[in-house]
Amino acid sequence: MTLADVLLAAFGLLALGAALAVVTTDRIVRAGLWLAVAFAGIAGAALVLAAEFLAWVLVLVYVGAIVVLLLFATMLTKAPTDPSDDLDRSRWPGAVVAGGVGLGLGAVMVGAFGWTEADVRGPGDAAAMGEAVFAEWVLPFEVLSLLLLAALVGAVAVSTRAK
């Protein structure tokens, strides 16, 4: 095992543990903070795999925008952040479904690709990725930015009181 293998496994375990904490915590703010840790673990794994551009996009877009938007929207709307007995449900059915889907996807991936090594071609080209984003994916990119803006404006509108 090389150092890269150990680091990749460590970042993967960090992301997996944080993702489990996201779905098992009973407080929304803690779930948002654990989500930031999970995204940071995925970004660390991308750094180990020599995908620096992807790692920093993960940090800037997901941790820097989506998680912060989730936390600000929760705080601005004054939504209850404490656990509530009337809203909590049993988590076992969801855990069983998620475990089954995870095992099924793992079996499909191992069946399709086996345990072959990936062909790594070297560092990615940020110019080609930027050209693809702003040529082929510009409409979804702009729709996502409008959706995030609408969510923030909606949070502010809900948080203000009508007089």
Side-chain angles (χ1 to χ4, degrees):
M1 283 195 108
T2 64
L3 177 64
D5 294 336
V6 172
L7 286 174
L8 189 63
F11 282 125
L13 288 174
L14 174 71
L16 182 64
L20 287 173
V22 168
V23 297
T24 57
T25 187
D26 55 355
R27 298 182 185 271
I28 187 78
V29 175
R30 289 183 186 169
L33 294 174
W34 278 116
L35 187 63
V37 172
F39 285 145
I42 295 170
L47 280 175
V48 171
L49 295 173
E52 293 88 6
F53 181 74
L54 175 65
W56 293 118
V57 166
L58 282 168
V59 169
L60 290 174
V61 172
Y62 287 110
V63 177
I66 293 177
V67 172
V68 171
L69 182 66
L70 171 78
L71 293 174
F72 275 126
T74 302
M75 292 176 198
L76 282 173
T77 57
K78 298 177 186 169
T81 57
D82 295 330
S84 175
D85 292 334
D86 59 339
L87 296 177
D88 292 339
R89 304 216 190 301
S90 175
R91 295 182 178 147
W92 287 107
V96 169
V97 169
V101 168
L103 287 174
L105 285 175
V108 167
M109 294 300 284
V110 169
F113 298 106
W115 296 104
T116 59
E117 292 186 14
D119 181 28
V120 179
R121 298 183 186 136
D125 186 13
M129 186 178 290
E131 184 178 323
V133 166
F134 291 112
E136 299 173 24
W137 297 97
V138 69
L139 182 63
F141 185 77
E142 291 299 324
V143 168
L144 179 64
S145 66
L146 288 174
L147 177 68
L148 292 173
L149 177 65
L152 184 60
V153 169
V156 170
V158 169
S159 68
T160 60
R161 294 183 182 186
K163 295 183 181 182

